[in-house]
Amino acid sequence: MWFPTAYGVQLACEWPEMRGRRPSRTVSDPTAVRLKAGHTLTVTETALVFLEDARRRGELCRPLDWNPEVHHPIGSGEAVIPDALLYYRRGPADGDDWSMLRAFVEVDRATMGPERLAAKLTAHERLHRYVPAVPGRRPTFQEQRVEEWRRRYPLFPRVLFVLDGTGPVGVENRIRALRAGARLLARFPHDVPILAAPLADLLHHGPSAPVWRPVHVPDQRVHWTGPAHRQT
């Protein structure tokens, strides 16, 4: 694992593939690096599972289609920063019958309580409805206010929770917490696919297998690449 210096980040941002991307914050304190290492390795392991599965299926997902810690402002100086933003092209890589999928990936290693994990749902719901204000000007009645995420994505990315660091009982506790959090969010879990799965299942069956559980109906097992809910 390598943590680049600020100068290294500056050089990497000049690569054509990285232009226009906001870099992650650099880490300089050795203790902070050690504390972050386990989480970073698990996030990287999750990325490799998706990349290898796409390769086996003849679909398109390359290393730079996995973007760690993409910053999404939600006002008042706050932001949603998922562990990764995933771009995945479903369908034959060399054909015309394909579709582009996007997902926010949150990797949980059981280092936080179930309630704090469920609070991430609230943050994503805030991002879903966040409309930035124009500084120094009040919007008129005729103006159409547009959510910030629509400037980046044609559809709001689905949200994938990858659970690790605990056994089956711990996984069930966390999915129950996510379900309880989803019940407080009105339409959001019905408008945006929000799915959870243990990393062990992704490693054993592959992320394209029906191992994902919708947080509002966790008794179901679905494919993460299934049709998105209708959004208005």
Side-chain angles (χ1 to χ4, degrees):
M1 182 187 299
W2 297 86
F3 288 87
T5 63
Y7 178 61
V9 170
Q10 179 184 344
L11 289 179
C13 287
E14 294 176 1
W15 298 347
E17 298 88 349
M18 301 297 288
R19 287 174 186 162
R21 298 190 182 184
R22 178 171 178 160
S24 302
R25 291 174 295 180
T26 57
V27 180
S28 57
D29 180 69
T31 301
V33 169
R34 286 194 294 270
L35 292 174
K36 193 174 182 179
H39 181 75
T40 302
L41 287 172
T42 304
V43 171
T44 303
E45 185 176 22
T46 304
L48 293 174
V49 168
F50 279 94
L51 268 62
E52 292 169 354
D53 191 59
R55 184 178 300 171
R56 285 194 300 268
R57 295 171 58 85
E59 298 179 325
L60 194 60
C61 184
R62 296 171 176 155
L64 290 180
D65 292 328
W66 180 272
N67 305 306
E69 299 182 353
V70 179
H71 186 275
H72 297 80
I74 55 176
S76 303
E78 298 181 79
V80 173
I81 308 176
D83 288 320
L85 166 64
L86 170 66
Y87 289 91
Y88 190 100
R89 203 176 93 165
R90 183 187 182 194
D94 56 353
D96 297 328
D97 186 17
W98 57 269
S99 59
M100 177 62 72
L101 305 178
R102 300 164 188 82
F104 293 136
V105 183
E106 299 283 7
V107 176
D108 171 56
R109 299 175 57 242
T111 55
M112 65 176 68
E115 293 78 11
R116 284 184 58 198
L117 174 65
K120 291 190 174 185
L121 281 177
T122 304
H124 283 283
E125 190 271 342
R126 286 181 61 190
L127 174 61
H128 185 253
R129 59 181 168 84
Y130 170 62
V131 177
V134 179
R137 184 171 66 86
R138 292 184 178 181
T140 65
F141 180 77
Q142 292 81 9
E143 286 181 317
Q144 183 177 4
R145 305 183 71 190
V146 178
E147 294 87 351
E148 175 66 19
W149 64 264
R150 295 186 188 275
R151 304 177 189 274
R152 302 191 188 193
Y153 314 112
L155 290 176
F156 194 87
R158 54 199 69 199
V159 184
L160 306 180
F161 286 91
V162 177
L163 309 177
D164 194 35
T166 185
V169 174
V171 168
E172 291 300 322
N173 287 339
R174 291 178 178 279
I175 291 179
R176 280 200 297 268
L178 289 171
R179 183 183 183 184
R183 287 174 173 171
L184 304 176
L185 300 180
R187 292 297 315 167
F188 181 61
H190 301 275
D191 293 338
V192 176
I194 306 173
L195 313 172
L199 178 58
D201 286 354
L202 305 190
L203 292 169
H204 187 263
H205 302 286
S208 58
V211 296
W212 298 89
R213 300 170 64 175
V215 296
H216 62 297
V217 280
D219 292 337
Q220 294 185 8
R221 300 292 191 277
V222 300
H223 300 272
W224 83 269
T225 56
H229 303 307
R230 178 177 178 82
Q231 298 182 19
T232 58

